[in-house]
Amino acid sequence: MAEILRQGNVWHLRNGSVSYALAVLPGGVVAHLYFGPRLARVSADNLLKHAGLPGAEGFAVQEFGLSRLPQEYPSFGLGDLRAGALTVEAPDGTLAVDLRATGAEVLPGKPGPEGLPATFGEDAQTLRLELKDAHTGLVAELFYSIFDDCAAVARSVRLTNAGAEALTLTRAFSLCLDLPDADWDFITLSGAWARERAVVRRPLVPGEQGTSTRSGASSLQTSPFLALARPGADEDRGDVIGAALVYSGNFAATASVDQFGTTRALLGINDQDFAWRLEPGESFRTPEAALVFSGNGIGGMSRAFHALWLDHLLPPRWARAPRPVLLNSWEAAYFDFDADRLVAIAEAAKRAGVELFVMDDGWFGRRDDDTTSLGDWEPNLGKLPGGLGALADRVRALGLQFGLWMEPEMVSPKSELFRAHPDWCIHIRGRESIEFRHQLILDLSRPEVQDFIVDAVSRTLRESGAAYLKWDMNRNFSNIGSAALPRERQRELPHRYMLGLYAVLARLTKAFPDVLFEGCASGGGRFDAGMLAYVPQIWCSDDTDCLERCRIQYGTTLVFPPSAMGSHVSAVPNHQTDRVTPLESRFAVALGGSFGYELDPRRLSDAEQAALRVQTDFARRTQALRLTGRLYRLCSPFTGNDAAWVTVSEDRSRALFTLVRARAVPNTPPRLVRLRGLDPARSYRIDETGEVFGGDELMQVGLCCPLPMGDAASLLYALEAVDD
Ligand code: GLA
């Protein structure tokens, strides 16, 4: 049960697993008291005493200064020497803002997201604290929501100019979390194209550490997430706090250790290229940040995030729904196709048991390579005589669903769209625009551009009757300027772009609720909770090599559920690494996400094609378990030669175990892997071997894994609980 309790000046949000507490101190400063496992009761005086601070009655900003006070939403300029969450330029050009509480209320459920993606939940309870800066008239409303069933708290802030003159926000973060000590390891994700989301863990040190992006997207290079783990915490044990931003644009995630050895974590829109002008009466809403707490290690943190996203963020129509086994044409044909070739691939896919055929890039305008035609979303009739409908009908006649690729946010300088609307792209007048992949970004802050995209995508979906759309986004921001914004609002563009994108996605997903949208950004370059509010799955990486994928998927599942990761079996030698790996291992790894293929089945041997039929059948049978079960990571490919994980159904009656060994090691005994998440009191039968083991045995002693020899060898076991 989610509840919000008030005792004097203390607010205490609590459910079955976590507590979050804060205090409105005399004078109105809001202090952070606690986030962690559920507490029976909270006392501001006691918690402040533990922190070596004067009791609530004795606190005064003047005498003591804010530098030692754990705070909820600290601002710059009042004597707190740590980095703040808020910086505001007052009409006189100064930056100090002194927010004092003026009111508080408890709201049932969650207030609307106001154009931003956010968690939802009728079972939630929300605390709204209102603070005001008397000097400028700035009002800050702090929202805290707690859910019945998740070890999570969702936070966001609304800033309103209730003064008489314009203000400018130059930093408006979503989350500040002050913790009383620095005995934490700091975990972030870092990456690059084809190497997304590697786990980085290091002890906190004095000073500021963190990760951020200014590429315009949550990016290939990092992820809008941070975790603080107690030094001994591993996958199963120890306290871990995770924070993720429900946002797809530029962000900063930092943790700072101050002079007194306390830690401040901050998360929000990156302020490097951000400023937001608030005219009198205008409001700004920060993206939402979700905080989770786990007493069961990093694995527990991940499962808390997964449950939060699946039950309170993803489109409910898709969150736990089966996903069709798909075959995507990209690595099968690249730009080199016509309707007959696609239909021939689709026929072979159908024979393999695939359910959805996806035509990737190259079907529109004059696009035979990546130099042209983005924005001209009319089918290339040379390649597809009869247009989209005719091709889609041929695919459907085979008994397959039809899906296709678009990159709606982009324009090629070589396109009709660019010729007609040269100022619709992000650019700085008078400066030469920098092209990446020969393309420019449409200015989604403009309503007419949003309408154009909604029309183009709607027409494409209607004409093709597509059941699936891969929504790609393949470049970073540069030359950031909008022809439609006045001088004083140019630095609003990156965030206005995101608001425009979310508006477009909201309109399209509402109009086409049964179309399965898959996000993509040069692979996993915009893999975040913001996108997942609209698209239930995201292409995890352009790297389809199964060993690379073990790492990429391991890192991705730190925050995101397996069902959110598009994951495909591709051909060998692999197109990104040139590595040859066994088909069974590529299959076992691709099963770790939303499963599909990225190859031309006609180029496989008869035996391999027969194997595909077995695979697609297995993928379908294990789908509910794989996509909605609880994930336990068992061996990390970042620290050893093996990657292993097990997914356990919610009722613990079924499990799917996967082990992949990168390099063959001669003369080693079979690996013993201790499973997790099973029912210790039940026995489990391994489908592939017929052996039966106790759940306790499998978790305490381990499962003996006779891996075949050879590099990239794997083992895939389906377990089912049996009566003894
Ligand atoms: C990006 C995507 C790929 C593919 C190509 C098409 O790189 O990540 O999967 O769709 O674009 O150009």
Side-chain angles (χ1 to χ4, degrees):
M1 242 307 262
E3 52 185 353
I4 297 180
L5 312 166
R6 181 183 184 168
Q7 281 172 322
N9 62 340
V10 174
W11 290 94
H12 181 184
L13 293 80
R14 181 168 77 174
N15 63 19
S17 37
V18 291
S19 281
Y20 190 108
L22 53 88
V24 178
L25 301 182
V29 171
V30 182
H32 175 74
L33 299 184
Y34 177 79
F35 177 55
R38 175 188 163 93
L39 293 179
R41 67 193 81 79
V42 183
S43 140
D45 277 356
N46 285 347
L47 285 167
L48 290 172
K49 248 181 254 161
H50 294 321
L53 292 161
E57 290 307 324
F59 185 83
V61 170
Q62 288 298 343
E63 289 164 27
F64 197 75
L66 291 167
S67 263
R68 284 186 65 189
L69 184 74
Q71 292 163 71
E72 283 297 323
Y73 202 61
S75 54
F76 174 78
L78 293 179
D80 183 352
L81 299 178
R82 297 163 292 182
L86 176 71
T87 310
V88 183
E89 201 181 302
D92 62 6
T94 61
L95 298 180
V97 165
D98 187 359
L99 290 170
R100 304 297 181 102
T102 52
E105 63 175 332
V106 174
L107 305 164
K110 283 200 72 202
E114 295 166 31
L116 282 162
T119 55
F120 52 80
E122 282 169 13
D123 64 338
Q125 295 279 315
T126 299
L127 171 65
R128 187 182 74 88
L129 278 187
E130 196 175 295
L131 291 76
K132 190 164 182 177
D133 173 45
H135 189 70
T136 57
L138 182 78
V139 172
E141 294 160 274
L142 313 185
F143 295 90
Y144 301 81
S145 299
I146 185 156
F147 307 89
D148 262 359
D149 52 349
C150 280
V153 170
R155 292 180 51 174
S156 68
V157 180
R158 181 162 56 207
L159 298 156
T160 302
N161 182 356
E165 289 181 72
L167 304 172
T168 302
L169 310 174
T170 56
R171 169 179 290 195
F173 282 169
S174 303
L175 168 90
C176 170
L177 185 68
D178 279 347
L179 299 166
D181 67 69
D183 192 21
W184 298 98
D185 286 348
F186 186 46
I187 301 176
T188 53
L189 297 170
S190 94
W193 176 79
R195 286 187 279 111
E196 292 91 335
R197 287 174 293 284
V199 180
V200 183
R201 178 173 180 165
R202 65 282 199 193
L204 279 183
V205 293
E208 183 174 303
Q209 43 248 280
T211 184
S212 62
T213 169
R214 52 204 65 73
S215 72
S218 49
S219 90
L220 295 158
Q221 290 76 24
T222 178
S223 189
F225 152 80
L226 65 88
L228 294 165
R230 287 298 184 194
D234 59 17
E235 275 295 312
D236 306 314
R237 284 174 304 260
D239 289 355
V240 183
I241 292 171
L245 198 63
V246 185
Y247 193 59
S248 315
N250 297 332
F251 73 89
T254 60
S256 307
V257 177
D258 73 351
Q259 57 185 330
F260 305 117
T262 73
T263 301
R264 170 169 288 177
L266 293 167
L267 182 59
I269 294 177
N270 191 339
D271 56 359
Q272 178 163 17
D273 53 358
F274 170 84
W276 197 276
R277 189 174 164 88
L278 281 182
E279 295 292 339
E282 285 183 348
S283 292
F284 177 85
R285 184 79 181 238
T286 71
E288 182 171 88
L291 267 177
V292 303
F293 175 82
S294 160
N296 302 313
I298 299 165
M301 174 199 75
S302 299
R303 287 184 292 281
F305 272 130
H306 299 177
L308 178 67
W309 306 143
L310 285 175
D311 295 329
H312 299 283
L313 181 80
L314 266 72
R317 157 76 180 83
W318 287 105
R320 291 179 183 272
R323 314 282 166 82
V325 173
L326 70 81
L327 184 140
N328 179 296
S329 70
W330 181 239
E331 290 195 12
Y334 293 102
F335 292 105
D336 182 17
F337 62 78
D338 59 17
D340 288 341
R341 181 163 181 210
L342 292 179
V343 170
I345 297 171
E347 270 168 358
K350 173 67 186 171
R351 282 197 298 277
V354 165
E355 296 159 295
L356 163 69
F357 175 78
V358 179
M359 171 174 65
D360 209 277
D361 194 357
W363 59 266
F364 50 90
R366 286 179 288 122
R367 187 141 166 113
D368 294 320
D369 54 36
D370 62 12
T371 62
T372 164
S373 299
L374 293 170
D376 297 346
W377 300 110
E378 295 297 335
N380 178 333
L381 296 178
K383 286 178 171 178
L384 309 179
L388 280 178
L391 171 68
D393 285 344
R394 287 176 71 185
V395 170
R396 279 190 288 265
L398 299 170
L400 289 166
Q401 297 172 18
F402 178 77
L404 78 178
W405 176 98
M406 292 180 82
E407 197 179 353
E409 298 159 63
M410 297 293 152
V411 58
S412 305
K414 276 196 221 160
S415 67
E416 300 300 324
L417 179 66
F418 187 73
R419 269 187 285 280
H421 299 287
D423 67 339
W424 272 15
C425 64
I426 290 178
H427 68 287
I428 298 174
R429 192 166 299 160
R431 272 191 197 279
E432 186 188 358
S433 284
I434 292 165
E435 293 171 23
F436 284 99
R437 215 190 184 206
H438 314 283
Q439 62 197 56
L440 299 168
I441 306 179
L442 287 173
D443 179 356
L444 269 76
S445 73
R446 301 177 69 154
E448 62 273 38
V449 172
Q450 296 169 24
D451 290 344
F452 167 82
I453 294 175
V454 170
D455 288 348
V457 174
S458 302
R459 196 176 57 246
T460 305
L461 291 175
R462 271 196 301 271
E463 277 172 18
S464 60
Y468 165 103
L469 183 77
K470 179 173 168 186
W471 184 292
D472 208 346
M473 190 282 192
N474 281 316
R475 63 155 289 180
N476 301 329
F477 283 32
S478 63
N479 296 72
I480 303 167
S482 168
L485 289 175
R487 186 201 160 279
E488 64 277 13
R489 290 198 181 272
Q490 286 297 332
R491 284 171 69 193
E492 297 176 12
L493 180 56
H495 182 61
R496 285 188 180 274
Y497 181 94
M498 296 317 306
L499 294 176
L501 173 63
Y502 293 140
V504 164
L505 288 170
R507 285 164 69 184
L508 285 167
T509 50
K510 186 159 181 252
F512 298 93
D514 293 326
V515 171
L516 172 57
F517 286 78
E518 176 156 353
C520 179
S522 307
R526 203 166 55 189
F527 204 125
D528 55 69
M531 289 306 288
L532 286 175
Y534 307 94
V535 304
Q537 62 189 55
I538 298 173
W539 182 227
C540 194
S541 175
D542 275 348
D543 196 337
T544 56
D545 176 282
C546 81
L547 293 185
E548 297 299 315
R549 271 290 182 130
C550 282
R551 289 164 167 260
I552 295 165
Q553 295 181 188
Y554 186 103
T556 303
T557 62
L558 239 58
V559 191
F560 304 107
S563 65
M565 302 189 298
S567 189
H568 299 168
V569 174
S570 63
V572 288
N574 179 270
H575 293 196
Q576 292 76 39
T577 61
D578 213 29
R579 190 181 282 140
V580 175
T581 55
L583 180 58
E584 307 82 68
S585 301
R586 282 174 272 152
F587 171 62
V589 173
L591 279 180
S594 273
F595 178 76
Y597 293 90
E598 190 93 7
L599 49 70
D600 184 345
R602 299 173 304 161
R603 297 200 197 129
L604 301 180
S605 69
D606 289 349
E608 287 172 323
Q609 293 194 37
L612 260 52
R613 284 194 286 282
V614 177
Q615 291 181 355
T616 50
D617 186 49
F618 186 89
R620 253 185 301 279
R621 279 191 287 115
T622 53
Q623 149 124 276
L625 163 64
R626 290 186 294 107
L627 299 187
T628 60
R630 297 200 183 98
L631 177 75
Y632 295 82
R633 291 177 297 262
L634 306 171
C635 305
S636 167
F638 292 102
T639 52
N641 194 23
D642 296 343
W645 60 95
V646 64
T647 312
V648 183
S649 65
E650 278 182 62
D651 66 0
R652 296 191 290 177
S653 67
R654 298 178 70 204
L656 190 68
F657 166 76
T658 312
L659 169 66
V660 182
R661 172 159 296 172
R663 259 183 320 102
V665 183
N667 190 24
T668 44
R671 169 99 200 227
L672 206 56
V673 180
R674 290 195 293 155
L675 304 196
R676 291 280 170 258
L678 302 176
D679 185 340
R682 298 178 86 176
S683 293
Y684 291 85
R685 182 178 175 280
I686 298 179
D687 207 20
E688 287 72 13
T689 65
E691 295 164 292
V692 175
F693 300 102
D696 53 357
E697 229 178 317
L698 290 168
M699 292 193 291
Q700 300 307 332
V701 183
L703 175 64
C704 181
C705 298
L707 274 168
M709 256 303 157
D711 290 345
S714 66
L715 205 66
L716 179 68
Y717 282 165
L719 284 74
E720 191 158 4
V722 287
D723 294 327
D724 289 316

